[in-house]
Amino acid sequence: PQELLQYPASVLYVQGSRYVRSSRKLAALLQCRTGERWFQVQALRCLRSDKTPICWLDLYLAPEYSGVLPLIGKRDQPVYEMILEKYGEQTQSVTVDLGVSRISAAMAGPLRAKAGEPSLRVIRRYGGTDKRPFQISVSEHPADRYNYRLQLQYGLNTGAAWRLGT
C-alpha cells in the first residue's frame, strides 16, 4: 500500500480527535453500518518545504487502535504502519476512491481556501486480516493543490501480466 497516491514530503498536524458513532451520512461515506463506533482524528497535511496545506484529513480508526494518536505527525510513516508496529494488524487490502467534493466551512480556514470551492476527495479503506476496515481516511484536497498520476508498468519477468482488482 505504500505506493498508493504518495504525497510529496509533508507532515500531518493533528487538529483534534474524538470517538464518534457513524450517522447515516457518515456511514454512507465510510461504507459502514450506521451507529458504528470509530476514533476520528482530524489533521492538516502540509508541505514540509513551505508549510502549504495540501489537504484536510479525517482519519477514522477502529477504536482499539486509538493508541497510535500520540505518534501521528511525530513519525515519518503512514498510520497503517504505526498500527502494524503497535498492534500487529497487517494490511491485507486497500481500496481507493477518487471523487469530487467541496471545501466545507470548517476546513476552509485551516486549508487557506474558500468554503464551497471544488476539492478532490480521496477515500482510502484499509482492510485487515479479518477483512474488515480498520482504518479509513477521507482527504479533501483544494482543486489547485493536488494532481494524481497513475503510472503502470508491465513486469519484466516471464509470465508477468497486468492485474486489476475489482
Side-chain angles (χ1 to χ4, degrees), residues 44-45 52-57 103-104 106-114 119 140-142 145:
L44 192 63
R45 182 178 296 279
T52 299
I54 299 173
C55 71
W56 180 266
L57 172 67
I103 302 295
S104 73
M107 64 181 77
L111 278 173
R112 294 186 229 152
K114 292 183 181 166
S119 66
E140 295 286 350
H141 304 81
R145 293 187 217 161

Side-chain angles (χ1 to χ4, degrees), residues 9 14 27-28 43 46 49 57 80 86 96 101 106 117 134 146 157-158:
V14 174
C46 296
S49 58
L57 172 67
Y80 66 85
K86 188 169 178 68
V96 179
S101 188
E117 285 185 337
F134 66 89
Y146 188 72
N157 56 347
T158 56

Side-chain angles (χ1 to χ4, degrees), residues 10-40:
S10 61
V11 66
L12 283 175
Y13 295 99
V14 174
Q15 307 293 300
S17 62
R18 63 189 177 141
Y19 287 97
V20 297
R21 291 214 179 262
S22 56
S23 64
R24 190 172 290 177
K25 182 178 178 181
L26 181 59
L29 180 69
L30 300 182
Q31 295 180 359
C32 69
R33 293 184 320 273
T34 300
E36 200 166 310
R37 193 166 179 249
W38 293 92
F39 183 71
Q40 179 189 27

Side-chain angles (χ1 to χ4, degrees), residues 92-139:
Q92 297 296 315
S93 66
V94 181
T95 303
V96 179
D97 292 326
L98 302 173
V100 177
S101 188
R102 297 220 174 259
I103 302 295
S104 73
M107 64 181 77
L111 278 173
R112 294 186 229 152
K114 292 183 181 166
E117 285 185 337
S119 66
L120 174 65
R121 176 182 284 167
V122 180
I123 302 173
R124 296 176 183 86
R125 293 177 187 84
Y126 296 81
T129 51
D130 63 359
K131 298 192 176 161
R132 76 177 180 94
F134 66 89
Q135 175 183 323
I136 302 173
S137 65
V138 181
S139 304

